[in-house]
Amino acid sequence: MPATTASPRETAERFLGAAIGADPGDMADCYAPSFVIEMPFTVEGLFPERVETTREELRARLRAGAATRRYKRLGNVVIHETTDPGVVIVEYELHGEFTETAEPFSMRFLMVLTVRDGQIVHSRDYSNPIVGARVIGRMPELIASLNNGSPAING
């Protein structure tokens, strides 16, 4: 997607709309051709704390995730503009369902987005790693990481 004059707030709004759109890969269009995602609350073994990636790599990951889960609606959206004109803070809930079972789920996020020329160049994403591991189907890895690699809790 070419650079635009969209404000950081408008970019965040476009991102949120794409999150619940027909093609989750469309969220990638809100990002620059290459960008950084940081996840300070991630659990080692599930996802790296810092990822330098490309728009097309993100698009592929988002579309692959759609095989197991679909995001249906947003809730409690608040966009905070900051004193830095290129930074917005986005709070939201994402409600969806697992494609195989139609079981609902909900995830809460806080994202600090740095936007240049209408595209996200950096995000710092905060979410609950337990809920995230469940939604992406990686609970065994989460449990193992919490037990220093051991699959069962020693009592």
Side-chain angles (χ1 to χ4, degrees):
M1 173 173 223
T4 69
T5 57
S7 71
R9 178 184 201 86
E10 291 166 333
T11 300
E13 290 168 346
R14 192 177 70 206
F15 169 84
L16 292 169
I20 58 172
D23 180 356
D26 289 347
M27 285 187 282
D29 291 330
C30 299
Y31 288 83
S34 62
F35 57 93
V36 173
I37 298 175
E38 292 183 79
M39 292 174 284
F41 292 167
T42 194
V43 176
E44 187 176 333
L46 288 182
F47 207 77
E49 187 174 321
R50 178 184 166 90
V51 176
E52 295 182 29
T53 191
T54 69
R55 179 187 302 145
E56 295 314 313
E57 288 169 348
L58 177 63
R59 185 183 317 280
R61 276 198 310 268
L62 293 167
R63 286 183 174 157
T68 60
R69 63 194 174 274
R70 294 294 294 166
Y71 304 121
K72 299 288 193 174
R73 66 183 175 83
L74 297 166
N76 297 317
V77 175
V78 180
I79 300 175
H80 304 273
E81 297 184 71
T82 70
T83 57
D84 182 329
V87 175
V88 291
I89 299 169
V90 184
E91 297 179 73
Y92 64 101
E93 291 176 2
L94 198 52
H95 302 275
E97 65 184 26
F98 295 103
T99 54
E100 191 171 299
T101 64
E103 177 187 357
F105 66 84
S106 177
M107 299 173 63
R108 293 174 61 192
F109 293 91
L110 184 140
M111 296 175 72
V112 179
L113 301 177
T114 302
V115 177
R116 284 193 202 109
D117 298 323
Q119 298 178 324
I120 300 167
V121 295
H122 183 268
S123 72
R124 202 164 39 252
D125 305 354
Y126 299 89
S127 64
N128 182 326
I130 296 169
V131 173
R134 179 178 168 266
V135 169
I136 64 172
R138 304 220 23 221
M139 283 301 286
E141 293 94 332
L142 172 65
I143 293 167
S145 71
L146 295 173
N147 290 307
N148 297 318
S150 173
I153 297 175
N154 297 324

